[in-house]
Amino acid sequence: MRRAALRFCTLSKGLLAPSRGLTQGSQNPEKERIFHINEVRAKLREIVGASTNWRDHVKAMEERKLLSSFLAESQKALPSRRMKDSYIEVLLPLGSQPDLREKYLTVQNTVRFGRILEDLDSLGVLICYTHTKIHSVKMSPLSIVTALVDKIDMCKKSLSPEQDIKFSGHVSWVGNTSMEVKMQMFQLHDNEFFPVLGATFVMVARDSENKRPAFVNPLILESPEEEELFRQGELNKGRRVAFSSASLLKMAPTAEERTSIHDLFLSTLDPKTISFRSRVLPPNAVWMENSKLKSLDICHPQERNIFNRIFGGFLMRKAYELGWATACNFGGSRPFIVAVDDIMFQKPVEVGSLLFLSSQVCFTQENYIQVRVHSEVASLRDKEHMTTNVFHFTFMSEKEVPLVFPRTYGESMLYLDGQRHFNSMHLPVTLK
């Protein structure tokens, strides 16, 4: 696992070799140019006919209903597309346009990773709309939304806010109604762009009213490299199904996991008493219940997406920033994001909702901190809370961090779940 990530980090000038060749042979002048980051959201609004005025959103959504006649009745009815047909490059000119910098700046003079998550989410959706474009229609009849952030791997501790950043990506796998998107991020150094991040998102297509699944264009594979990317997409799908089937919400822990939890329990028993109730922490350890942070946000129209629900990138940014604060508070030093894993968008968040985020350290090892952020919403009309997302972040601290110990059975399951996510990460040996 760790060797795979090390290979990722040592790639120079290009992250995925096929991606570099995807632009070759493109006959579309628009595809050959690089989009500015500010053009991405504007392009998405144009594709779906979304209004920039909140008061007009109902009318705009009514007009989209008329597009349902353009939906395909089967995948076979849609033309096949190549990977290079969806390839897009986007420039975030932090160095050449300093006026953009403040939005992305941290107090440590680095780039806000939460903002990068927002940009990746928007880019992923635009890539999928490019793959499914109907050339005879100005607006797309599809509603494409983020279903899952499968994995994001970092290979650099922090990003400079004074150098340009470039994103690129394309569709790498398709099902009947879903698409996997591979994206990369590069930063300029000595007049060359070097890789700093790789991401895999899964998007789903729905009808123009966002009520039922809709078919997407099949994919043509033109090289062994593309066949390998597609095969990896199939493996990713199988891995997600297996991981879900073995979830601790469905299945008991393995024998090895049960033993490790019992060992943790025994290590916290007070040797001075012969009692299961008398618990003491070992040296350099913290009870899991003492590692929590919480936040509350009101979801204003400003944070809506093109379908007038709350933008998934906004949810990721808020969850990440709370997770970062949790890791910082726990470790006592500045943490660096290493990986983001398995963010499932279970339920859309409506404008006007109350967004409750609860963050907790659930596993630690050496200087790594595994943080779980639980997201739930409640409407202003009722008090019922509903889970919308669970986020998993792996941070690396500047120094070794305390061990975290569960006290209850529920916390023990959180500990094991955190350990599973940590062990599934392609953790780099060292971050640059």
Side-chain angles (χ1 to χ4, degrees):
M1 285 288 190
R2 296 195 176 198
R3 288 197 199 98
L6 186 58
R7 285 198 299 273
F8 162 81
C9 289
T10 54
L11 285 172
S12 63
K13 303 180 185 178
L15 185 56
L16 292 173
S19 299
R20 287 173 55 78
L22 288 174
T23 51
Q24 296 175 5
S26 173
Q27 301 299 314
N28 188 341
E30 185 179 64
K31 297 272 282 300
E32 292 178 353
R33 76 179 181 89
I34 298 179
F35 287 98
H36 189 284
I37 193 67
N38 291 340
E39 294 181 277
V40 174
R41 296 290 292 274
K43 190 76 175 172
L44 288 173
R45 284 194 294 269
E46 177 186 319
I47 289 170
V48 302
S51 172
T52 55
N53 191 332
W54 166 246
R55 290 175 294 182
D56 296 336
H57 76 280
V58 175
K59 179 182 176 182
M61 290 299 105
E62 285 295 320
E63 291 175 351
R64 281 192 55 77
K65 292 181 181 179
L66 303 175
L67 298 170
S68 58
S69 60
F70 294 100
L71 292 170
E73 295 184 1
S74 70
Q75 191 175 46
K76 292 181 180 179
L78 293 168
S80 297
R81 297 281 159 78
R82 304 166 297 181
M83 287 191 186
K84 64 185 176 185
D85 289 333
S86 63
Y87 181 82
I88 291 176
E89 291 186 356
V90 175
L91 184 66
L92 172 57
L94 295 179
S96 50
Q97 293 184 13
D99 53 311
L100 281 174
R101 207 172 289 164
E102 187 166 322
K103 176 183 175 183
Y104 288 83
L105 192 64
T106 72
V107 70
Q108 294 91 9
N109 199 40
T110 61
V111 174
R112 292 174 64 182
F113 185 71
R115 293 295 189 193
I116 298 300
L117 291 175
E118 291 182 326
D119 292 339
L120 288 171
D121 192 46
S122 295
L123 175 59
V125 175
L126 181 59
I127 287 169
C128 289
Y129 271 120
T130 305
H131 174 80
T132 58
K133 181 177 176 59
I134 301 175
H135 296 286
S136 60
V137 183
K138 182 180 179 181
M139 291 194 301
S140 174
L142 297 176
S143 301
I144 296 176
V145 295
T146 306
L148 173 75
V149 178
D150 186 68
K151 192 169 291 293
I152 299 175
D153 289 314
M154 289 290 294
C155 65
K156 193 174 181 182
K157 270 188 176 182
S158 57
L159 304 173
S160 168
E162 298 176 1
Q163 300 293 333
D164 287 357
I165 286 174
K166 184 173 72 174
F167 300 91
S168 68
H170 60 88
V171 171
S172 56
W173 173 90
V174 297
N176 288 325
T177 62
S178 59
M179 295 162 278
E180 182 188 87
V181 178
K182 293 279 189 189
M183 290 176 283
Q184 303 86 43
M185 188 172 81
F186 308 85
Q187 184 152 47
L188 194 64
H189 182 70
D190 292 336
N191 295 319
E192 288 191 64
F193 281 100
F194 289 88
V196 293
L197 174 152
T200 303
F201 281 45
V202 177
M203 309 292 184
V204 293
R206 301 180 68 80
D207 67 5
S208 53
E209 298 180 68
N210 201 7
K211 290 183 177 179
R212 59 183 178 85
F215 294 104
V216 299
N217 302 68
L219 201 56
I220 298 174
L221 308 178
E222 297 185 306
S223 68
E225 291 84 2
E226 292 185 2
E227 290 174 1
E228 175 59 24
L229 280 178
F230 192 88
R231 187 186 73 84
Q232 193 60 241
E234 291 282 359
L235 292 175
N236 289 341
K237 179 182 177 182
R239 171 180 51 79
R240 289 192 293 268
V241 171
F243 201 87
S244 175
S245 299
S247 168
L248 292 166
L249 293 171
K250 301 175 183 178
M251 302 284 291
T254 65
E256 182 181 358
E257 288 174 333
R258 292 195 297 270
T259 300
S260 70
I261 288 298
H262 191 65
D263 288 344
L264 286 175
F265 172 73
L266 293 178
S267 67
T268 62
L269 292 181
D270 189 346
K272 298 177 182 178
T273 64
I274 307 175
S275 171
F276 290 128
R277 293 185 179 182
S278 183
R279 308 279 297 277
V280 292
L281 276 171
N284 193 34
V286 176
W287 290 119
M288 187 183 290
E289 64 186 5
N290 296 329
S291 68
K292 295 180 181 179
L293 286 181
K294 295 185 178 183
S295 70
L296 168 65
D297 282 279
I298 302 172
C299 297
H300 295 289
Q302 180 187 6
E303 309 300 344
R304 72 189 188 278
N305 63 14
I306 52 179
F307 303 113
N308 292 292
R309 302 275 181 59
I310 294 302
F311 175 42
F314 168 78
L315 301 176
M316 287 194 283
R317 174 167 64 85
K318 300 302 291 188
Y320 164 77
E321 290 175 350
L322 182 63
W324 184 92
T326 303
C328 183
N329 187 58
F330 181 87
S333 64
R334 175 183 168 194
F336 302 94
I337 186 68
V338 173
V340 182
D341 174 58
D342 193 28
I343 299 175
M344 180 76 74
F345 289 83
Q346 301 175 21
K347 186 181 183 299
V349 177
E350 302 292 340
V351 173
S353 300
L354 297 177
L355 176 66
F356 297 87
L357 294 175
S358 177
S359 179
Q360 185 170 24
V361 175
C362 53
F363 179 78
T364 60
Q365 180 177 301
E366 298 172 353
N367 60 333
Y368 289 104
I369 306 171
Q370 187 69 32
V371 178
R372 181 182 189 269
V373 182
H374 181 264
S375 165
E376 58 185 23
V377 295
S379 72
L380 295 175
R381 293 183 298 275
D382 58 62
K383 296 182 180 180
E384 182 183 4
H385 288 221
M386 301 188 69
T387 297
T388 60
N389 307 79
V390 177
F391 304 84
H392 302 276
F393 301 107
T394 306
F395 293 95
M396 185 180 73
S397 181
E398 293 177 321
K399 59 184 181 182
E400 191 162 322
V401 299
L403 295 173
V404 65
F405 275 78
R407 194 194 288 266
T408 66
Y409 185 80
E411 288 181 348
S412 296
M413 296 303 100
L414 286 177
Y415 179 92
L416 292 177
D417 186 57
Q419 187 180 52
R420 287 181 179 185
H421 281 282
F422 178 81
N423 289 336
S424 73
M425 296 294 175
H426 292 182
L427 288 176
V429 177
T430 56
L431 291 183
K432 297 177 188 176

